[in-house]
Amino acid sequence: MYTDSHCHITCDELYSDLEGVLSRMKDVSRVMIVCTSEEKYLRAVPIRSSDPVRFRIAFGFYPGDADEVTEERLAFLEEALKSGNVDVLGEIGLDHHWPEPDRQTQKDLFVRQIRMANDYDLPIAIHMRDASQDTLDLLRQEARTPIVFHCFSGSAEMARELVKLGWMVSFTGVLTYKNARKAVEAAQAVPLDRIMIETDSPYMAPVPHRGKRNDSGYVRHVCEKLAEIKGISFEECARITLENGKRFYGIS
């Protein structure tokens, strides 16, 4: 049994085939549904309610949408946090790959959401792209709760720094790609007790499904590759990443 620690099953692409998606994830015993809008969050609530042990919700505003996040939307997020339906605040962070939204707008939104996580004692799922130093600086200054860097794409050196700071690192199907030397080296650098696996579906399907729509049923391929990288059995890797996910997200 596996944990998919980060997937977007309430995005339009997967939600339109929700019954099929759920049928293909029979071996996935813990699922973190990541929601980056109010609509996706409202879709996730009844899924979580149907099996709150198996399904949990992460909700937060993505940095690429920072210039569209109003005070009213932040108030909606806070009401969701008060409801008890949100288990993780995320994915939030910084993305400097594109010039817009501007960096200060992203930083302001990031800090607001980190402080909400502190107020409600929630773990944080981080999106970080081409913004390592700014992200780490703000987290060091503001964050008071557990942190996972989802879909990690940084160097082994950066991974070691995150672990040194007490944070978790999560890897996707990118580990299975032939040109993924950097991701493999980073996975080698992360201790087994600080590592998680995810699909980030519907994106980045692992080999042998690369190029297709991704879903949580493919998380086993990430586990297989990570087991190979770490030199442990597939069963041991599945057990360890399941326990890590349960511990981080507070899932019994």
Side-chain angles (χ1 to χ4, degrees), residues 25 50-51 63 92 107 187 191 235 250:
M25 37 195 297
S50 72
D51 189 345
I92 66 174
K107 288 178 181 179
E235 293 78 12

Side-chain angles (χ1 to χ4, degrees), residues 14 82 94 98 100 123 133 135-136 160 194 202 204 209 218:
L14 293 179
K82 289 178 182 177
L94 300 174
W98 306 108
E100 299 293 336
Q133 194 59 55
T135 303
L136 266 60
R160 292 188 191 97
R194 298 292 186 86
M204 295 180 294
H209 305 286
Y218 294 156

Side-chain angles (χ1 to χ4, degrees), residues 192-217:
L192 281 170
D193 65 344
R194 298 292 186 86
I195 204 164
M196 291 195 282
I197 55 174
E198 61 174 282
T199 58
D200 198 18
S201 54
Y203 318 108
M204 295 180 294
V207 173
H209 305 286
R210 188 175 184 182
K212 300 179 182 178
R213 188 187 75 181
N214 197 8
D215 66 46
S216 293

Side-chain angles (χ1 to χ4, degrees), residues 31-146:
V31 182
M32 184 57 64
I33 306 170
V34 180
C35 309
T36 57
S37 73
E38 298 90 331
E39 181 182 20
K40 296 178 179 69
Y41 162 73
L42 292 172
R43 290 172 175 176
V45 171
I47 300 173
R48 183 187 188 278
S49 297
S50 72
D51 189 345
V53 173
R54 186 183 187 201
F55 297 105
R56 295 296 178 100
I57 294 174
F59 180 29
F61 295 118
Y62 182 75
D65 298 330
D67 54 3
E68 300 174 4
V69 178
T70 62
E71 289 298 322
E72 289 76 16
R73 297 187 73 187
L74 286 166
F76 183 98
L77 172 59
E78 185 150 19
E79 287 302 312
L81 303 185
K82 289 178 182 177
S83 75
N85 288 320
V86 178
D87 307 281
V88 175
L89 212 159
E91 64 187 273
I92 66 174
L94 300 174
D95 191 323
H96 295 340
H97 185 72
W98 306 108
E100 299 293 336
D102 69 85
R103 295 187 178 190
Q104 192 57 51
T105 299
Q106 290 189 42
K107 288 178 181 179
D108 291 344
L109 176 63
F110 189 26
V111 169
R112 289 282 296 274
Q113 293 184 102
I114 294 171
R115 290 175 179 173
M116 284 186 182
N118 293 340
D119 291 342
Y120 292 92
D121 194 26
L122 291 174
I124 302 171
I126 295 294
H127 172 101
M128 180 176 71
R129 188 181 187 196
D130 296 343
S132 301
Q133 194 59 55
D134 285 347
T135 303
L136 266 60
D137 287 347
L138 290 176
L139 288 172
R140 286 191 184 101
Q141 292 167 19
E142 300 285 348
R144 302 291 181 269
T145 61

